[in-house]
């Protein structure tokens, strides 16, 4: 009923067609533009500092019209792609500390529609990266002079 009032306001047929077309176009784009994004990673305790990420999207845009941009919360340049691998700056056996507190990396996925250059979805997850330690040989008897007790007398 409200649409008929708006359209009836314009007496010129051309204007009526233009307004109706714009209303239909706006309603169609609003209804079909719902895009949600999420991602998974293979980050596990005692894994590696290199983590694989896989993005998923639901919505009406073709994947070929979407760009996937990633930032990894470490201040370094991110990556682009639906599935990416990233090496975090954490030494083997260490943890990521901020002010002495174990802190995750804040990973952000931004999905942009290429044809309109507009962001259509974002998703953020905290990722803990704890690389496995590198085993080392130690002399339990003389740690300051390793293997010095192995000399023959």
């Amino acid at each position: 009923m409200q649409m008929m009032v708006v359209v009836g306001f314009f007496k010129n047929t051309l204007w009526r067609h233009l307004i109706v077309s714009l209303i239909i176009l706006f309603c169609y784009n609003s209804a079909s533009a719902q895009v949600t994004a999420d991602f998974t990673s293979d980050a596990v305790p005692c894994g590696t500092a290199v983590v694989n990420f896989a993005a998923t999207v639901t919505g009406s845009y073709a994947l070929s019209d979407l760009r996937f941009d990633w930032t990894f919360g470490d201040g370094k340049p991110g990556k682009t792609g639906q599935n990416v691998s990233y090496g975090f700056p954490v030494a083997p056996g260490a943890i990521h500390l901020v002010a002495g507190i174990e802190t995750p990396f804040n990973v952000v996925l931004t999905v942009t529609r290429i044809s309109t250059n507009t962001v259509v979805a974002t998703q953020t997850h905290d990722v803990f990266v704890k690389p496995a330690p590198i085993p080392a040989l130690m002399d339990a008897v003389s740690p300051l002079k390793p293997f010095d007790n192995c000399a023959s007398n």
Side-chain angles (χ1 to χ4, degrees):
M1 183 72 172
Q2 290 176 347
M3 189 186 309
M4 304 237 346
V5 172
V6 171
V7 174
F9 178 75
F10 296 99
K11 295 183 182 189
N12 185 328
T13 306
L14 179 62
W15 280 108
R16 274 188 271 160
H17 289 298
L18 179 63
I19 296 299
V20 169
S21 297
L22 288 174
I23 291 171
I24 290 170
L25 182 64
F26 176 76
C27 291
Y28 173 77
N29 280 339
S30 296
S32 66
Q34 299 296 328
V35 173
T36 58
D38 202 3
F39 64 88
T40 58
S41 75
D42 64 357
V44 294
C46 286
T48 67
V50 177
V51 179
N52 299 305
F53 295 91
T56 56
V57 291
T58 58
S60 60
Y61 298 131
L63 282 176
S64 60
D65 193 26
L66 299 176
R67 184 180 70 236
F68 300 85
D69 296 314
W70 301 82
T71 57
F72 299 98
D74 61 358
K76 295 183 180 176
K79 289 195 169 192
T80 299
Q82 187 174 0
N83 301 311
V84 297
S85 294
Y86 189 75
F88 287 91
V90 178
I95 56 176
H96 180 230
L97 296 175
V98 175
I101 300 170
E102 182 179 9
T103 306
F105 290 95
N106 188 262
V107 179
V108 179
L109 167 65
T110 304
V111 181
T112 303
R113 186 174 182 200
I114 296 169
S115 61
T116 60
N117 199 30
T118 55
V119 173
V120 294
T122 58
Q123 185 59 260
T124 303
H125 290 295
D126 289 337
V127 176
F128 285 91
V129 179
K130 299 178 184 180
I134 297 174
L137 293 174
M138 287 192 63
D139 186 343
V141 176
S142 179
L144 297 177
K145 289 183 163 187
F147 305 107
D148 190 40
N149 59 344
C150 294
S152 60
N153 292 340

